[in-house]
Amino acid sequence: MNVDSIMTRHVLAVSMDSTLRQVRDLFADHGFHHAIVTEHHRVVGIVSDRDLLANISPFLGKPSERSVDAASLDRKVHQIMSRHLVSVTPETPVTDAARTILEHRISCLPVLDAQGGCVGIVTWRDVLRWVIKEGASGHVDAIPREKAA
């Protein structure tokens, strides 16, 4: 089975100049954990909810919030996004995508077409759902464990 059959086709896209406030609001509105960063219709990075949480003040919305805390939401995506993009194609086998997620210790893979456009995203949750579904029917190839360091 290929990534095309388990990926999420609706992808949140933001620009490099989007604010962290905009990303936070998109995540809240859509319930997503990742947004693809694009520039001139090309994928240039990714930003996750963990990136967001690591870069906004923990005092937001608290009685001790200061103006500097609120200003953390005005930072731009290009300041916090991951630029080292690891991606797959729709034809990538799900087991290969799972290996890639494990090897790179990442939580998602943008799915890019031959022109580099984003056609979807596959997350560790998508892979786990597939393993549960296919594993119950006995159709999952073994995914080897990482070697101990």
Side-chain angles (χ1 to χ4, degrees):
M1 185 172 289
N2 293 339
V3 166
D4 183 63
S5 60
I6 69 165
M7 70 183 188
T8 300
R9 294 176 193 283
H10 175 71
V11 178
L12 294 180
V14 296
S15 75
M16 290 179 62
D17 288 327
S18 296
T19 65
L20 300 191
R21 176 178 282 105
Q22 291 169 316
V23 173
R24 181 194 64 178
D25 293 347
L26 280 171
F27 286 165
D29 291 347
H30 296 278
F32 284 10
H33 300 276
H34 304 90
I36 301 297
V37 184
T38 60
E39 184 176 44
H40 307 296
H41 307 291
R42 303 269 314 155
V43 177
V44 294
I46 193 161
V47 64
S48 71
D49 56 352
R50 287 181 311 232
D51 297 327
L52 179 68
L53 289 173
N55 286 281
I56 60 173
S57 173
F59 299 108
L60 288 171
K62 305 272 191 317
S64 59
E65 180 181 322
R66 300 168 298 158
S67 60
V68 69
D69 300 316
S72 67
L73 289 172
D74 296 328
R75 293 182 68 196
K76 304 293 185 183
V77 166
H78 70 84
Q79 295 175 294
I80 71 159
M81 70 183 205
S82 297
R83 294 172 189 267
H84 176 72
L85 198 64
V86 179
S87 63
V88 292
T89 67
E91 297 79 24
T92 302
V94 175
T95 52
D96 290 352
R99 281 185 193 94
T100 301
I101 286 171
L102 288 172
E103 286 171 10
H104 292 275
R105 298 176 183 226
I106 55 179
S107 58
C108 75
L109 294 163
V111 182
L112 306 182
D113 62 19
Q115 293 75 37
C118 187
V119 295
I121 192 167
V122 63
T123 69
W124 67 268
R125 288 176 181 87
D126 298 324
V127 172
L128 190 55
R129 275 190 218 99
W130 174 78
V131 166
I132 290 168
K133 179 182 168 198
E134 295 297 314
S137 63
H139 294 116
V140 175
D141 294 333
I143 300 171
R145 291 183 52 135
E146 292 184 52
K147 294 180 182 176

